[in-house]
Amino acid sequence: GENVEQHPSTLSVQEGDSAVIKCTYSDSASNYFPWYKQELGKGPQLIIDIRSNVGEKKDQRIAVTLNKTAKHFSLHITETQPEDSAVYFCAAGFGNEKLTFGTGTRLTIIP
Amino acid sequence: NAGVTQTPKFRVLKTGQSMTLLCAQDMNHEYMYWYRQDPGMGLRLIHYSVGEGTTAKGEVPDGYNVSRLKKQNFLLGLESAAPSQTSVYFCASSYSSGGAIEQFFGPGTRLTVL
């Protein structure tokens, strides 16, 4: 089955700086790569996703890049703000509509 | 739209007790999922369902049973709870698209087994 590795497990950045979280996956059949944000005491919520026919996708301060050859994808958050502090999960999925999640990154924005 | 709701929010069990967690969604989604979340291990799929009356095993199904008698509800049962089942449980749902798609998550149930 699919295996998704996520790094780093914790990340602290100064407010206004950029944050990058990286994931690798094992199954070359995976074609859907979402990123979820989980705030304290809540369920994960989708913030951005990318499919394998696209190399990069942006949504305001958030971007995701995908390298299918190397089987890795990354989340980039620019101009970080205190409300970006949360746990972020990457995931990979394909035709059976199941997702395999990474182990999460706790992002802390330092004011 | 309430989205995905979970009942109860918190529960404490003694070893060997049984309980059922209820998940309900009002988005007419075909697919529903149960995950458990443990520190450092991310979200692991327990069981899932691709439609009313169907269930399938996920990555960590042992010790759990599920039922999907109605399209909007997905029940997770623990017949004989063990301390290793102490976790936060999340339900999710998605519509059928012929491929992987966004999953909508509930707020979670925190379960402690003593």
Side-chain angles (χ1 to χ4, degrees):
Chain A
E2 176 65 277
N3 181 49
V4 177
E5 294 189 358
Q6 182 172 348
H7 299 282
S9 56
T10 60
L11 178 62
S12 295
V13 301
Q14 290 290 139
E15 182 177 351
D17 287 351
S18 296
V20 180
I21 303 170
K22 299 181 179 182
C23 288
T24 60
Y25 62 99
S26 61
D27 192 336
S28 56
S30 290
N31 59 7
Y32 176 64
F33 306 94
W35 286 90
Y36 285 81
K37 176 182 181 182
Q38 185 179 26
E39 297 177 342
L40 193 62
K42 297 184 178 180
Q45 186 171 12
L46 181 74
I47 54 172
I48 195 167
D49 56 13
I50 192 168
R51 294 195 179 269
S52 58
N53 57 345
V54 175
E56 183 176 3
K57 184 177 179 181
K58 289 183 180 180
D59 183 4
Q60 299 183 338
R61 297 186 296 107
I62 294 173
V64 58
T65 59
L66 171 65
N67 183 327
K68 282 219 74 179
T69 302
K71 292 191 213 166
H72 67 72
F73 55 112
S74 301
L75 177 70
H76 304 254
I77 306 174
T78 59
E79 301 173 5
T80 53
Q81 300 170 1
E83 54 264 36
D84 294 329
S85 292
V87 178
Y88 292 81
F89 291 98
C90 63
F94 55 102
N96 62 0
E97 284 160 311
K98 290 191 295 182
L99 293 175
T100 300
F101 286 83
T103 50
T105 297
R106 182 174 300 277
L107 175 64
T108 302
I109 307 302
I110 304 167
Chain B
N1 261 0
V4 179
T5 58
Q6 294 183 231
T7 309
K9 289 184 167 51
F10 303 93
R11 186 72 186 268
V12 178
L13 289 179
K14 294 181 180 179
T15 297
Q17 287 185 319
S18 64
M19 77 162 294
T20 300
L21 282 67
L22 171 64
C23 176
Q25 52 94 6
D26 62 1
M27 296 174 283
N28 201 34
H29 284 170
E30 288 291 333
Y31 286 64
M32 296 188 75
Y33 311 83
W34 275 108
Y35 293 91
R36 60 178 289 172
Q37 183 177 31
D38 302 291
M41 303 193 75
L43 292 154
R44 293 183 293 168
L45 183 64
I46 305 171
H47 286 282
Y48 65 103
S49 168
V50 300
E52 183 178 321
T54 73
T55 63
K57 294 181 180 179
E59 179 185 355
V60 288
D62 293 343
Y64 305 95
N65 56 76
V66 288
S67 64
R68 183 101 180 267
L69 299 180
K70 293 183 179 180
K71 184 177 183 179
Q72 64 268 34
N73 294 338
F74 195 28
L75 278 63
L76 178 70
L78 286 73
E79 290 186 349
S80 179
S84 60
Q85 294 178 304
T86 293
S87 188
V88 181
Y89 291 85
F90 287 99
C91 176
S93 70
S94 68
Y95 61 89
S96 174
S97 71
I101 199 83
E102 176 183 4
Q103 294 182 12
F104 295 81
F105 283 82
T109 295
R110 183 173 294 276
L111 174 66
T112 301
V113 183
L114 302 176

